[in-house]
Amino acid sequence: MIKIIKFLVNFLINFIRKDRRFIRINPNQKGPIFFFDKFKKKLFKVFSRDRIDSVTADEIFTKNSYDLCFLKRYSELQKIYNDIIKKKKTPLIIDCGSNIGLSPRYFATCFGKSRVIALEPEIKNYKLMKKNCTGLENIHYLNAAIGSRKGFVDIENKNVDNNSFKTILTNNKKSIRLYTINQILKKNSDCTPFIVKIDIEGFENDMFRENINWIKKTPIIIIELHDWMLPGKAVSKTFLKAHILGSRDFIICGENIFSINNNTR
C-alpha cells in the first residue's frame, strides 16, 4: 500500500509540475515500465528486472536526477548546446557507467541533437541498456569501462545489486576494455564536448589520476562520488584535486555533483 501511495504522489507531482518532463504510468517493479513524455506527448517503455532497476528508473525519469533546469546557469548551458549546433557541430555527451541505459536514454531524449557515448562494463547491464535505448539512433554503445589510461578491467564484485558493480585493473587482455576520455574525444573529433556524466562505483579514483586535460574542454561534468561506499579510501581525492585546477563551479544536488566550467562564460 505504501508503494502505491508513493507512486500516486509522484504521479501527481510530475503531472502538475511544468519542469517535470516524464510521468511514470505504472508502478510494477519488474517488466516493462511506461513513462509519458510531456514534451513530446508520447509514451515510451523501459525494462526492469527487479526493484533496483525500478528505483533507477525513478531516479532518472521521475526525480530528474540529471536535469539541468535547477541550475542558475541553465540558460547559459543551454546556449552552449545551441551554439555548438549553430556551428554545425554535434554536442558530445559521454555517459560513464550507463548501467541499464536509462541515463543515456535521458540525455539522448533531452538533447536530441547530441551524440551520446554510453559505456557500461557489466555485460548483463550492457545488453539491457541496448534494449532500453531501442530507437534512439544518437546513442553509441561500448561494453567497456573508463579510466585514466588504456588497459583492461574485471568486475571485482559479481554478486551484488545491478547498480553496484565495481571494476578493478587487470593485465588480462581478454577482459573488459578500459578507455580514456581522450580516446573517446579523438574517435569523435567531429563532435564538441558538452557533458561527461560519471557514476563508476569508486573507480573515479583512477579516472582522475592522470590524463585529465579533457576537463578544461568540458562545459559540464556530472559525477556521483563514492566515499560513502568505500570509507577510508579517499576515492574522491583525485577528482577534487582535478576540479580545483581550473575555474569551475561546484554544485551538489542529491547524489550528484555538477561541475561547471567558468571559462565558457
Side-chain angles (χ1 to χ4, degrees):
M1 180 60 70
I2 294 176
K3 292 178 182 178
I4 296 298
I5 292 172
K6 286 183 178 180
F7 166 76
L8 292 174
V9 168
N10 284 324
F11 180 91
L12 289 172
I13 290 171
N14 285 19
F15 180 81
I16 294 168
R17 285 181 55 169
K18 292 182 179 181
D19 62 330
R20 293 292 179 92
R21 177 168 179 169
F22 303 103
I23 305 173
R24 182 167 176 164
I25 303 300
N26 58 324
N28 58 289
Q29 295 184 342
K30 187 176 181 179
I33 298 174
F34 290 88
F35 285 92
F36 181 69
D37 184 339
K38 292 195 291 185
F39 290 9
K40 292 187 176 181
K41 293 180 169 47
K42 62 186 292 187
L43 283 170
F44 66 91
K45 66 181 176 181
V46 297
F47 293 92
S48 169
R49 297 164 293 189
D50 53 27
R51 182 186 66 83
I52 297 297
D53 289 349
S54 175
V55 168
T56 301
D58 273 332
E59 287 176 352
I60 293 170
F61 292 110
T62 304
K63 298 178 181 178
N64 286 309
S65 59
Y66 295 121
D67 190 8
L68 304 180
C69 291
F70 80 97
L71 295 165
K72 288 187 176 181
R73 296 177 64 181
Y74 172 70
S75 58
E76 175 190 337
L77 297 172
Q78 189 66 45
K79 184 179 184 301
I80 291 171
Y81 173 77
N82 292 333
D83 285 348
I84 294 171
I85 296 165
K86 285 179 183 177
K87 293 175 183 176
K88 296 185 178 180
K89 300 281 282 186
T90 301
L92 183 66
I93 300 174
I94 305 174
D95 189 323
C96 310
S98 297
N99 193 245
I100 61 171
L102 306 187
S103 52
R105 183 178 186 110
Y106 177 90
F107 289 124
T109 301
C110 294
F111 300 101
K113 294 185 178 180
S114 65
R115 179 183 302 166
V116 180
I117 309 298
L119 296 95
E120 171 54 41
E122 204 280 324
I123 188 62
K124 291 180 182 178
N125 281 348
Y126 174 78
K127 289 178 178 178
L128 186 54
M129 171 172 69
K130 296 185 75 173
K131 183 177 181 180
N132 280 332
C133 294
T134 299
L136 292 168
E137 296 182 358
N138 58 332
I139 301 178
H140 297 234
Y141 310 97
L142 290 172
N143 180 205
I146 198 80
S148 63
R149 57 199 181 281
K150 295 187 290 184
F152 298 89
V153 295
D154 284 325
I155 302 295
E156 181 181 6
N157 53 341
K158 295 182 179 180
N159 298 314
V160 294
D161 291 334
N162 304 324
N163 62 350
S164 300
F165 294 109
K166 294 191 296 180
T167 51
I168 186 171
L169 292 168
T170 179
N171 293 321
N172 185 358
K173 293 184 179 180
K174 294 183 179 180
S175 294
I176 303 159
R177 186 171 293 276
L178 186 68
Y179 286 92
T180 68
I181 293 292
N182 287 331
Q183 274 183 285
I184 295 171
L185 292 178
K186 187 175 181 180
K187 289 184 178 181
N188 294 273
S189 58
D190 58 321
C191 298
T192 299
F194 180 50
I195 296 174
V196 174
K197 169 259 173 181
I198 305 156
D199 186 359
I200 54 177
E201 306 305 308
F203 205 69
E204 59 265 24
N205 183 44
D206 177 272
M207 181 179 179
F208 290 93
R209 195 177 298 279
E210 57 183 309
N211 297 318
I212 55 173
N213 59 310
W214 59 270
I215 294 175
K216 62 185 178 183
K217 306 173 187 176
T218 306
I220 314 164
I221 299 170
I222 307 172
I223 184 169
E224 180 180 342
L225 299 175
H226 292 86
D227 288 309
W228 62 270
M229 187 178 75
L230 300 164
K233 295 188 177 181
V235 293
S236 66
K237 182 178 179 180
T238 56
F239 166 74
L240 295 172
K241 287 177 66 177
H243 173 88
I244 62 173
L245 287 176
S247 176
R248 302 186 69 93
D249 285 349
F250 186 95
I251 300 106
I252 300 172
C253 183
E255 295 180 340
N256 295 316
I257 290 164
F258 291 74
S259 170
I260 305 173
N261 194 339
N262 292 327
N263 293 322
T264 60
R265 307 195 83 174

